[in-house]
Amino acid sequence: MSAQEDPNDVEIELVTEQEVPDLLPVMPLKNFVLFPQMVAPLVVTTDESKKLVTDLSTRTPHFITALQRKEEIDETNLTTDDIYRVGCVARLLKTLKFPDGSTHVLVEGLSRCELKDLLTDEAYPTAYYQMVEDAEDKTLETEALVRSASEQFQQLVTMSPNLPDELAVAIYNMGTPTQLSDLIATNLPIPLEVRQNLLAENHPARRLKTLMEYLNREYQILKLGNKIENKVHETFTRTQREIFLREQLKTIQDELGQNDPLSNEILELEKKLDEAKLPKEAREAATKELERLKAVPSASPEHGVIRTYLEVMAALPWSKSTEDNLDILAAQKILDKDHYGLEKVKDRILEYLSVLKLKSDMKGPILCLAGPPGVGKTSLGKSVARALGREFIRMSLGGMHDEAEIRGHRRTYIGAMPGRIIESLRRCGTNNPVIMLDEIDKVGADFRGDPASALLEVLDPEQNATFQDHYLDVQFDLSKVLFITTANMLDTIPGPLRDRMEVIRISGYTLQEKYQIARRYLVPKALREHGLKRGQAKFDKAALENIIGGYTAEAGVRNLERQIANICRKVARGFAEGKTRPVAVTASKLKDFLGPVKIDKDVAENQAMPGVVTGLAWTPYGGDILFIEAMCMPGKGSLILTGSLGDVMKESARAALSYLSANAATFKIDQEVFAKSDIHIHVPAGATPKDGPSAGVAIALAILSILTEQAIRPDLAMTGEISLRGRVLPIGGLKEKVLAASRAGIKHIMLPEKNKIDLDEIPAEIKKKLTFKTVKTIDQALRYALKLSEGSTK
């Protein structure tokens, strides 16, 4: 059954009053509680209830109403668990039959009752019952409750448009607390469970106490509603009406102590924005968006976009900085502990700390660590952050093609987000971290923009104080950030971007430096990572030096670290299989651990042959040596070039041939050789592209060697660019080339005169092993090489 208003224009059948019998039909009610004295319309929905109403029309008009405990019940098998035990004895007043076949009834509540025995023998449930009489209570407290409840309810009738004025008169004439409480409960909006509790309560004073809480609640709601309505215009648009209703609901919920999740969220955002201490421009933008957030419905997609934006603004470290550790000596100890060598980089960092100690508002420099892989560029950034006491952020730029990765996306769609720099600052929580932009030389560009161009503002100390991310659309100060970039080669970095950075070149390590790095860092790290204790595996000096010389050929130490890890894995396997004796890793055991020697770079032992010259080359991965071969054969004076040579290297070969042809008499070469012979220049490792001007001297000497049939000693390496006027021009990357020559067993190096100043960068231990000869002209270079080779032959 359910409640229904009294319909009109229907046939009404009067029911006569009879004496109430001891056994009455039971009509379960869904979502409705009938009180004594209450007249209410009900809708008959089930077949059992329809049969019950039909029988009431012919027999007694009395029956029992009881509230269902569940939403759906089976009336044919009704049990006491399906309905509440306290109900109301009711009388059928009218039966209303509609043309659509539905039946409506008008009933009157008579008295509370308690169900005793529930029977299901008939078409509808029946029950024996016992009338519940209210307890007599004539205390002063009860009288006061009656008076207070009566006055309060009369005020509600006056304020509420839903309560008829006649109720005020009826309340005034109520004689007993029982009648008063039932009448108020009938007309007051009360939760269903509370209604049932009021029906089951036989003490009028307790019922009135419960009703007073709801009378006060309803009075406050009506009072606030009237107050809000007085403040609002009589006419407003649909949007204005929605805003008004939300404000009205918010006010009501605040007064009732019921928290609105959306309101709490906005208040929390306001609190976070206040704590973030935004600058003026950012604060104005945040305030504007916050007002929009309050006006936009929570179901709108725009609501989520605005909320996410405000959360990012509140989480950014606008004014949060970590305190720098300006103890120069302590910072130097940290740098020395973490890295061996790299003195130039360490000095530059310590200089920055020293200036920062004297001038706290110094703008952070932009350092670019350029060098081959494996020399410690990335790990150096972590040490710098640790020495400064700052947060460290590493951001890889390799393969980046989208400008939005740097500047962020504009807030034109739901998935917009800030750039990686702003996002990194939000995560670390400070505005002065050390940000390492790794592999800046490998940034690409496509239809999505050029990230390298976007970095121009980020990596400019004069501009990054007003960096503007597209997502934030307000300025953020990046001048306190210490940016460190890394690159293997500088040629691929755009000129304007390279100009903004202070380049610090890191060359490869010497044998002694690699040994110290392996002993101090790599071996302890490998033992720790493979579960070995320091005493379980001992590497002697000869073993480490043989690993460096015979199993690795690199500028850095990555491959050296792998070979040490290979040995540690084999040692760990032995202990896992039950061995207990410590393992001594010596030079004689390396073959068992790593196999035969993989690298034979000692070219000094190679036999000297005419037409073969050793040159020096620079690569992004460190220096290297290369062999230039020349062959002379009968022909028509052609020059054949092979070995994947670039245009610059081909031009050097033509210039060398032209110079020798023009000065054939000086070097005692028959001039007809150039007209009747073809000269073939080849650089082995043909699959590897080679280019650069620094092979000019080596190519000229290779051609001279084959034409004069004089062999050039293999432990002589040379580098230098040549001109047709016979000058030897300076080259770059000398330190990397010299280190590569030392690794390869070279003993003599010939270089341009203007590169003599670069020898100061060569480690002293390398200088002791090598003989350096500087030359100004090609004649001087060729004669020195021939003379040195003749001395070797003799």
Side-chain angles (χ1 to χ4, degrees):
M1 297 293 298
S2 62
Q4 180 71 24
E5 292 183 1
D6 189 2
N8 298 320
D9 301 328
V10 292
E11 181 184 355
I12 299 177
E13 178 184 350
L14 295 176
V15 181
T16 60
E17 183 174 348
Q18 298 179 7
E19 185 177 352
V20 181
D22 296 331
L23 182 66
L24 290 178
V26 177
M27 180 183 291
L29 300 181
K30 182 192 300 184
N31 302 327
F32 186 71
V33 176
L34 184 67
F35 284 90
Q37 308 178 59
M38 183 179 181
V39 177
L42 303 176
V43 179
V44 180
T45 57
T46 64
D47 295 336
E48 292 79 2
S49 296
K50 289 180 181 179
K51 175 63 175 169
L52 186 152
V53 170
T54 302
D55 290 349
L56 291 177
S57 302
T58 57
R59 302 178 187 175
T60 175
H62 298 92
F63 63 100
I64 298 173
T65 62
L67 179 65
Q68 298 177 189
R69 292 182 180 271
K70 307 173 187 176
E71 190 70 16
E72 299 295 335
I73 60 173
D74 183 8
E75 291 191 30
T76 58
N77 297 311
L78 193 68
T79 65
T80 54
D81 293 332
D82 296 329
I83 58 176
Y84 287 91
R85 295 184 63 84
V86 177
C88 183
V89 176
R91 180 174 58 189
L92 180 66
L93 299 180
K94 298 178 183 179
T95 303
L96 311 168
K97 295 181 180 179
F98 283 74
D100 60 358
S102 62
T103 301
H104 297 223
V105 295
L106 189 66
V107 300
E108 177 187 13
L110 299 179
S111 176
R112 290 173 172 78
C113 69
E114 183 178 358
L115 302 181
K116 294 300 183 183
D117 295 323
L118 189 63
L119 306 176
T120 56
D121 299 337
E122 298 188 16
Y124 45 84
T126 58
Y128 289 99
Y129 65 96
Q130 179 181 349
M131 292 292 189
V132 177
E133 298 294 335
D134 280 351
E136 291 186 5
D137 190 358
K138 296 181 180 180
T139 62
L140 292 176
E141 182 186 7
T142 304
E143 184 176 351
L145 284 169
V146 169
R147 186 174 300 177
S148 179
S150 177
E151 292 175 355
Q152 190 87 346
F153 189 73
Q154 289 182 55
Q155 288 182 346
L156 290 182
V157 172
T158 305
M159 297 172 64
S160 175
N162 299 324
L163 296 177
D165 295 338
E166 292 78 10
L167 280 176
V169 179
I171 287 291
Y172 185 78
N173 291 289
M174 283 295 167
T176 64
T178 297
Q179 294 175 340
L180 178 65
S181 62
D182 288 342
L183 182 61
I184 294 175
T186 298
N187 294 281
L188 198 65
I190 302 174
L192 194 64
E193 293 183 3
V194 179
R195 285 180 173 274
Q196 178 59 38
N197 293 337
L198 290 171
L199 181 66
E201 179 59 61
N202 69 331
H203 202 290
R206 294 176 186 165
R207 292 205 296 268
L208 287 172
K209 285 182 181 179
T210 302
L211 289 170
M212 283 300 295
E213 296 179 9
Y214 289 93
L215 282 170
N216 289 330
R217 177 179 180 274
E218 189 68 12
Y219 174 79
Q220 295 295 332
I221 291 175
L222 292 174
K223 184 179 179 180
L224 287 172
N226 293 337
K227 181 180 179 181
I228 294 171
E229 289 177 358
N230 292 335
K231 294 181 180 179
V232 181
H233 258 273
E234 295 181 358
T235 58
F236 39 79
T237 62
R238 180 180 300 179
T239 304
Q240 290 173 324
R241 176 178 174 81
E242 181 178 355
I243 296 173
F244 162 71
L245 291 175
R246 290 185 182 278
E247 287 296 327
Q248 186 180 34
L249 180 61
K250 178 182 176 182
T251 305
I252 292 171
Q253 289 173 334
D254 289 343
E255 291 294 334
L256 295 178
Q258 298 177 356
N259 295 325
D260 179 21
L262 182 59
S263 300
N264 290 341
E265 182 181 315
I266 294 176
L267 291 174
E268 187 68 22
L269 271 176
E270 286 181 326
K271 182 180 178 182
K272 289 181 179 179
L273 289 170
D274 291 336
E275 294 174 351
K277 298 180 181 179
L278 277 68
K280 182 179 179 182
E281 181 191 10
R283 183 66 196 179
E284 290 175 355
T287 303
K288 182 179 177 181
E289 293 298 321
L290 194 62
E291 294 302 321
R292 287 185 59 205
L293 182 67
K294 295 177 182 179
V296 174
S298 59
S300 171
E302 186 70 14
H303 184 276
V305 173
I306 299 173
R307 184 186 62 192
T308 304
Y309 173 77
L310 290 174
E311 288 175 349
V312 172
M313 292 282 280
L316 282 174
W318 300 93
S319 57
K320 297 180 181 178
S321 303
T322 55
E323 185 176 353
D324 287 330
N325 176 21
L326 299 179
D327 188 341
I328 309 301
L329 296 178
Q332 184 174 8
K333 289 180 180 178
I334 292 175
L335 293 174
D336 290 339
K337 180 181 178 182
D338 290 350
H339 290 83
Y340 182 83
L342 305 178
E343 299 302 330
K344 184 186 292 186
V345 187
K346 294 177 183 178
D347 288 342
R348 182 62 186 86
I349 298 300
L350 294 175
E351 289 169 4
Y352 167 71
L353 283 176
S354 301
V355 176
L356 189 64
K357 187 173 183 178
L358 301 177
K359 191 176 187 300
S360 58
D361 59 345
M362 173 191 175
K363 295 181 180 179
I366 312 298
L367 304 179
C368 177
L369 307 180
V375 295
K377 299 186 297 296
T378 304
S379 61
L380 190 62
K382 296 180 182 179
S383 297
V384 171
R386 196 158 74 89
L388 284 169
R390 295 188 182 186
E391 296 291 331
F392 176 74
I393 299 170
R394 178 186 170 273
M395 187 184 305
S396 177
L397 303 182
M400 182 183 292
H401 289 80
D402 192 354
E403 179 190 354
E405 293 276 352
I406 303 298
R407 286 193 171 275
H409 303 81
R410 299 192 183 276
R411 287 182 294 123
T412 54
Y413 56 93
I414 295 177
M417 62 183 67
R420 291 174 63 182
I421 292 177
I422 294 296
E423 182 64 22
S424 298
L425 292 174
R426 183 176 72 87
R427 290 181 179 176
C428 78
T430 63
N431 61 7
N432 64 338
V434 175
I435 296 183
M436 170 154 281
L437 302 178
D438 225 355
E439 311 294 350
I440 196 171
D441 56 326
K442 298 175 179 62
V443 175
D446 61 8
F447 65 93
R448 291 169 291 185
D450 184 4
S453 298
L455 286 170
L456 290 175
E457 181 183 8
V458 175
L459 299 181
D460 191 338
E462 300 299 327
Q463 298 181 25
N464 59 15
T466 57
F467 174 71
Q468 189 161 338
D469 188 276
H470 287 159
Y471 182 82
L472 297 182
D473 204 23
V474 294
Q475 295 178 357
F476 191 93
D477 186 4
L478 296 179
S479 62
K480 297 180 181 179
V481 177
L482 175 58
F483 287 101
I484 300 178
T485 65
T486 68
N488 296 130
M489 56 190 305
L490 300 175
D491 296 343
T492 58
I493 303 177
L497 182 59
R498 187 170 63 247
D499 183 61
R500 282 164 164 78
M501 300 183 293
E502 179 182 344
V503 178
I504 300 177
R505 296 184 180 272
I506 303 178
S507 304
Y509 294 112
T510 64
L511 173 63
Q512 181 61 25
E513 287 175 333
K514 287 185 179 182
Y515 166 72
Q516 293 295 339
I517 292 171
R519 184 179 66 85
R520 298 185 185 188
Y521 306 103
L522 302 184
V523 170
K525 178 183 176 183
L527 294 175
R528 187 169 57 252
E529 291 181 349
H530 292 83
L532 298 173
K533 297 179 181 179
R534 183 175 290 270
Q536 290 180 319
K538 296 181 180 179
F539 289 76
D540 64 14
K541 182 178 181 180
L544 291 175
E545 290 179 347
N546 284 1
I547 295 173
I548 295 169
Y551 294 88
T552 65
E554 56 180 348
V557 292
R558 280 208 182 115
N559 200 29
L560 174 59
E561 185 176 10
R562 293 191 189 100
Q563 299 300 340
I564 294 174
N566 288 341
I567 296 174
C568 289
R569 282 196 296 272
K570 290 179 171 58
V571 173
R573 178 180 175 181
F575 281 102
E577 291 175 349
K579 294 181 180 179
T580 57
R581 298 181 62 183
V583 177
V585 181
T586 61
S588 59
K589 295 181 180 179
L590 288 181
K591 187 175 182 180
D592 298 331
F593 287 114
L594 301 177
V597 174
K598 297 180 175 62
I599 297 166
D600 182 12
K601 286 289 185 177
D602 197 2
V603 297
E605 296 181 1
N606 292 345
Q607 184 178 1
M609 295 178 60
V612 180
V613 173
T614 305
L616 296 177
W618 179 92
T619 71
Y621 310 103
D624 200 359
I625 66 168
L626 51 82
F627 299 101
I628 297 175
E629 301 175 348
M631 181 69 70
C632 182
M633 64 200 81
K636 298 180 180 180
S638 300
L639 178 64
I640 303 171
L641 301 171
T642 57
S644 298
L645 304 184
D647 292 337
V648 177
M649 207 165 180
K650 291 177 181 178
E651 291 172 359
S652 296
R654 295 189 184 99
L657 182 62
S658 297
Y659 180 83
L660 291 175
S661 178
N663 297 274
T666 303
F667 296 101
K668 300 179 182 180
I669 303 174
D670 187 359
Q671 186 67 42
E672 294 184 359
V673 173
F674 296 99
K676 298 180 180 180
S677 302
D678 291 340
I679 296 178
H680 186 171
I681 303 295
H682 177 71
V683 182
T688 304
K690 310 167 194 70
D691 200 7
S694 61
V697 173
I699 293 175
L701 186 57
I703 297 174
L704 180 62
S705 173
I706 194 65
L707 293 179
T708 60
E709 296 184 355
Q710 288 183 274
I712 304 299
R713 60 185 298 165
D715 60 352
L716 168 65
M718 62 205 70
T719 180
E721 182 181 358
I722 63 173
S723 70
L724 286 177
R725 292 180 296 164
R727 297 173 59 193
V728 177
L729 305 179
I731 46 84
L734 180 65
K735 183 178 179 181
E736 288 81 1
K737 293 177 180 179
V738 171
L739 292 178
S742 176
R743 290 196 298 268
I746 297 295
K747 295 181 180 179
H748 305 276
I749 294 180
M750 186 166 58
L751 64 149
E753 176 72 23
K754 291 186 178 180
N755 285 114
K756 188 174 183 179
I757 58 175
D758 296 328
L759 292 176
D760 295 338
E761 298 181 0
I762 308 300
E765 60 183 276
I766 300 296
K767 289 182 180 180
K768 293 178 181 179
K769 298 179 181 179
L770 301 174
T771 300
F772 295 93
K773 173 65 177 177
T774 59
V775 294
K776 293 182 179 180
T777 64
I778 301 178
D779 290 351
Q780 185 181 0
L782 299 182
R783 295 183 187 281
Y784 169 76
L786 293 173
K787 183 178 180 180
L788 187 67
S789 299
E790 288 176 359
S792 174
T793 303
K794 292 179 182 179

